[in-house]
Amino acid sequence: MAVWRFRGFKAEEVQSESCLLPLSQSLQPLLRPPIDCEFCMDVSSIKKVTNISSIEFSEKYAHTGRPVVVKDAARNWSATKVFSFEFFKGLYGPFSPVRGSNCQFFPYKTEFRNLSHVFTMDEDRVRQKQGTKPWYIGWSNCDSSAANILRHHYERPYFLSPDSESSNTDWIFMGSPGYGAHMHVSAHFIVIGNPELWHG
């Protein structure tokens, strides 16, 4: 279901209404506003930094559209040791709203209908064994009890200024290396896993 937000309406009111026509995944890119790619035309490499201050990050990268990899962005996070396919499968019990259609779910180029469907994946595909089909999915967490657990394992990245915008919604993306989402403009991602293998 496509969710459109209109000024003057509460999100719950809009989400509770059925769409006249369902918006298929294949049509969504056609209806997305055009993106001006000139800001990245001369990008030939992506800088990798560590121990960057919030002031330096803000001045050099935050509002410039220039890509950067902050290699120690998740320092001191327990998420790097805890988050896994099995962790999320256990976190979202059979009655969690995340498993159904209550939260946004992005199947990207997979056959998955929702997170419950993802959690039926066989072990070889989860482990991305040779010969298995690649996968990459994302979802918004709308389970408040799960949010409390998730936030024990991470905090605001140290290089973001305290007054930078943040969302109350956790977004989680996971899957096979090299099989990520389309380009995101003005997005911050923390990669947990082997960054040498991640190309999303």
Side-chain angles (χ1 to χ4, degrees):
M1 177 182 86
V3 176
W4 303 94
R5 298 184 188 275
F6 299 98
R7 185 173 291 178
F9 291 92
K10 292 182 180 174
E12 306 84 57
E13 294 171 345
V14 176
Q15 289 176 344
S16 66
E17 295 295 321
S18 297
C19 294
L20 183 61
L21 295 171
L23 184 61
S24 75
Q25 291 283 333
S26 60
L27 289 177
Q28 287 181 14
L30 299 173
L31 300 174
R32 188 178 297 128
I35 297 170
D36 180 4
C37 292
E38 285 197 25
F39 70 87
C40 60
M41 293 293 274
D42 61 341
V43 174
S44 58
S45 63
I46 297 175
K47 186 145 180 146
K48 295 179 182 177
V49 299
T50 56
N51 203 30
I52 186 170
S53 71
S54 59
I55 293 169
E56 185 182 359
F57 179 80
S58 183
E59 288 174 353
K60 289 186 176 178
Y61 304 106
H63 308 290
T64 64
R66 310 295 295 176
V68 63
V69 173
V70 182
K71 292 182 76 171
D72 59 349
R75 67 184 185 192
N76 303 320
W77 288 14
S78 57
T80 59
K81 297 178 179 69
V82 174
F83 286 5
S84 67
F85 184 89
E86 291 77 17
F87 170 81
F88 290 113
K89 187 174 181 179
L91 177 67
Y92 299 119
F95 302 108
S96 170
V98 175
R99 283 182 170 254
S101 57
N102 295 331
C103 298
Q104 278 192 292
F105 175 77
F106 298 109
Y108 294 107
K109 298 174 184 175
T110 68
E111 73 281 11
F112 300 118
R113 297 180 304 276
N114 54 41
L115 209 52
S116 281
H117 193 195
V118 171
F119 291 149
T120 65
M121 215 184 322
D122 68 69
E123 183 75 12
D124 284 352
R125 189 173 178 196
V126 170
R127 299 278 165 248
Q128 304 163 18
K129 297 250 177 103
Q130 190 170 2
T132 59
K133 196 173 176 185
W135 60 279
Y136 183 86
I137 50 105
W139 70 93
S140 66
N141 177 58
C142 64
D143 185 330
S144 58
S145 60
N148 292 332
I149 295 168
L150 289 170
R151 291 173 187 170
H152 281 295
H153 297 292
Y154 74 90
E155 59 193 27
R156 175 187 290 271
Y158 75 89
F159 57 88
L160 295 181
S161 68
D163 60 345
S164 63
E165 291 181 23
S166 65
S167 169
N168 289 331
T169 303
D170 298 301
W171 287 90
I172 301 157
F173 298 87
M174 66 179 178
S176 308
Y179 202 68
H182 52 271
M183 185 181 82
H184 287 72
V185 177
S186 187
H188 299 106
F189 286 95
I190 305 296
V191 178
I192 296 174
N194 186 345
E196 302 302 320
L197 296 176
W198 193 82
H199 305 288

